[in-house]
Amino acid sequence: MRLPTALTGVAALLLALSAAPGPAAAAVPGKACFWSEPGQAGHAWCYSPGGYAEAGPSVRRHARSFDNRSGGSVHAIHFGDRGCFHRELRVDDYDDDWTAWAARLDGVSDTTMGCAQG
């Protein structure tokens, strides 16, 4: 049985729309979230406080925006040639165009991990 051409077109359109990426995840209460693009867009990765976590591949050294709704301060961590550095992200801090650290984020911790402020 063949589908009428109009139904085939509708089916193709629905399939294409279901495969299209949706909007980036919104910041989640209890987490600090990072996005690969400015304006909290692109691929998202979120950190839940409790130790250190490597940044997800989509935002590692490419975190263009963030929103900290973790309920406390967290620390962006960078491991570089001159040692490790941290940047405190206070509760409810956000930056929609985080150029200062976009290429530096390696991970996030609930402590400074002994890294120098940077």
Side-chain angles (χ1 to χ4, degrees):
M1 178 169 143
R2 291 185 46 128
L3 290 174
T5 304
L7 286 179
T8 303
V10 169
L13 178 61
L14 288 174
L15 180 61
L17 289 174
S18 67
V28 178
K31 297 180 184 258
C33 295
F34 300 82
W35 289 268
S36 61
E37 300 301 327
Q40 299 180 18
H43 296 280
W45 174 78
C46 295
Y47 166 80
S48 295
Y52 173 78
E54 288 284 325
S58 62
V59 298
R60 186 175 301 128
R61 303 241 171 146
H62 190 80
R64 292 297 313 272
S65 52
F66 77 87
D67 191 351
N68 178 18
R69 297 203 183 176
S70 68
S73 289
V74 298
H75 301 270
I77 303 291
H78 170 69
F79 300 103
D81 295 339
R82 296 180 291 140
C84 70
F85 297 89
H86 79 91
R87 176 143 190 179
E88 182 179 13
L89 307 176
R90 293 184 176 100
V91 65
D92 295 329
D93 274 356
Y94 71 94
D95 193 328
D96 280 340
D97 194 12
W98 198 33
T99 56
W101 263 63
R104 299 182 74 187
L105 182 72
D106 290 315
V108 182
S109 178
D110 55 355
T111 71
T112 66
M113 295 180 53
C115 298
Q117 186 173 356

